[in-house]
Amino acid sequence: LTVAFFATHAEDPHPDQFLPQPESMKLYKDVTIPVPANATQESWERLPHFFDAKNEGRNRWTWRFDTPEKFQRMMKNYYRLATEVDSTCGRVIAELEKQGVLDETLVIFTTDNGYYHAEHGLADKWYPHQESIRVPLIIRDPRMPKGVKGKTNDEFTLSVDLAPTVLRAAGVTPPETMQGIDMSVLYLETDESVRWRDEFFYEHPTLRNADFIPASEALVRKNWKYFYWPEQEVEQLFDLKADPREENDLAKDPAQAERLAEMRKRFKELKEAAK
């Protein structure tokens, strides 16, 4: 069974963008939503030179986040939508429990993309920053040991891992052509020598034209990230440990020349392998 929601998507033509149910409007009324530290004009100006008013991420920022008052209104409605999704998922879980099949059911909660909430002066998604490419993933697996339940795991999982995980849980061997890995090894295997990915290749195509939404690619590691903007032939390099908000581009730093060359080479290898 797949349960998919329109929330928390925006209604793009609507001036209010995020449209919760009327009964949700009482939620978060007296809450002040924190503004991200990199939701600033300075962060916008640190983006590559080809980001300008024609960029759709910036355009949608003006729809949603260009004043403090608008930010609060939009984000409260966004979180109201998220709470509606959460409540509905709770109803599904309760029904599984009522039918006596919850402990025979693998439950996976995830989404299709991350989201800028004014970070870097942007809205929506499309680019390789952490805010855009990281997505929620919650797994409730009846086979999971008690000592693992409720804990987080910082390994890199990808959307391509979903199908092999579901197939293995159903007793089906995934085809060799599938790129993903059964994620259950991260919580069922007690052998700490289980090898998992430590990097991945990311790509997003041009939408409409390079002014509107330019193509972007990246090599992502735990502590470092290499960006490549193919249409403009622009490289960026970020130290995610020292600079988790990706504000300080080190691509032109002579001290990082060797690292840049190594990541550029590995990026090209993974890109070629993805063809």
Side-chain angles (χ1 to χ4, degrees):
L1 173 68
T2 298
V3 182
F5 301 91
F6 180 82
T8 54
H9 282 84
E11 294 270 8
D12 290 342
H14 198 287
D16 290 331
Q17 295 290 287
F18 303 109
L19 305 176
Q21 298 298 311
E23 59 268 25
S24 298
M25 296 305 293
K26 62 183 181 292
L27 299 172
Y28 313 119
K29 284 181 66 175
D30 300 322
V31 174
T32 299
I33 308 299
V35 179
N38 56 343
T40 64
Q41 180 65 21
E42 291 78 13
S43 295
W44 161 252
E45 292 173 358
R46 289 188 188 103
L47 292 174
H49 64 86
F50 48 87
F51 277 79
D52 57 27
K54 297 176 184 177
N55 184 280
E56 184 65 0
R58 186 60 169 179
N59 183 33
R60 296 187 183 204
W61 173 86
T62 65
W63 298 352
R64 301 169 191 168
F65 305 128
D66 63 350
T67 69
E69 296 76 18
K70 194 184 291 186
F71 177 88
Q72 290 298 320
R73 179 163 58 89
M74 295 290 175
M75 288 304 300
K76 287 179 183 183
N77 283 339
Y78 181 88
Y79 286 136
R80 287 162 181 149
L81 287 171
T83 301
E84 291 171 4
V85 171
D86 185 53
S87 298
T88 305
C89 289
R91 291 173 62 188
V92 173
I93 296 294
E95 180 63 27
L96 290 169
E97 191 168 28
K98 179 182 176 182
Q99 293 186 19
V101 295
L102 181 59
D103 288 333
E104 300 171 13
T105 305
L106 171 65
V107 179
I108 300 175
F109 177 88
T110 191
T111 68
D112 58 339
N113 52 260
Y115 221 63
Y116 294 105
H117 295 138
E119 296 94 345
H120 305 282
L122 295 169
D124 251 274
K125 47 201 175 187
W126 305 307
Y127 307 125
H129 300 105
Q130 295 289 81
E131 296 89 357
S132 178
I133 67 171
R134 295 194 66 181
V135 302
L137 176 65
I138 303 172
I139 296 179
R140 187 191 190 281
D141 190 327
R143 302 168 297 171
M144 192 177 290
K146 287 185 178 180
V148 179
K149 290 181 180 179
K151 293 187 176 180
T152 58
N153 187 313
D154 292 329
E155 296 290 358
F156 282 141
T157 54
L158 304 174
S159 57
V160 292
D161 298 331
L162 294 171
T165 301
V166 172
L167 288 174
R168 288 283 186 191
V172 178
T173 301
E176 291 185 6
T177 52
M178 276 192 172
Q179 294 179 322
I181 309 169
D182 174 11
M183 292 181 285
S184 71
V185 300
L186 294 174
Y187 56 83
L188 294 182
E189 299 289 339
T190 56
D191 183 358
E192 294 185 0
S193 67
V194 170
R195 182 169 175 78
W196 196 255
R197 67 173 65 87
D198 53 15
E199 61 185 10
F200 63 91
F201 169 72
Y202 155 93
E203 63 179 343
H204 191 283
T206 305
L207 297 183
R208 192 181 297 177
N209 57 61
D211 289 335
F212 187 72
I213 297 173
S216 57
E217 301 169 344
L219 170 62
V220 184
R221 293 176 177 167
K222 289 289 181 68
N223 290 334
W224 288 88
K225 191 187 295 184
Y226 169 85
F227 284 27
Y228 184 64
W229 305 90
E231 290 155 312
Q232 299 82 10
E233 298 183 347
V234 170
E235 295 178 305
Q236 293 185 286
L237 181 68
F238 295 100
D239 178 351
L240 299 181
K241 187 173 182 180
D243 178 29
R245 296 186 180 93
E246 296 162 294
E247 298 271 73
N248 185 24
D249 179 10
L250 301 175
K252 295 182 180 179
D253 183 351
Q256 299 300 332
E258 186 174 340
R259 185 185 304 276
L260 177 65
E262 183 274 324
M263 292 194 74
R264 182 192 298 128
K265 179 175 181 291
R266 181 60 176 154
F267 163 82
K268 290 179 179 179
E269 291 171 353
L270 291 179
K271 182 176 180 177
E272 183 63 28
K275 290 182 179 179

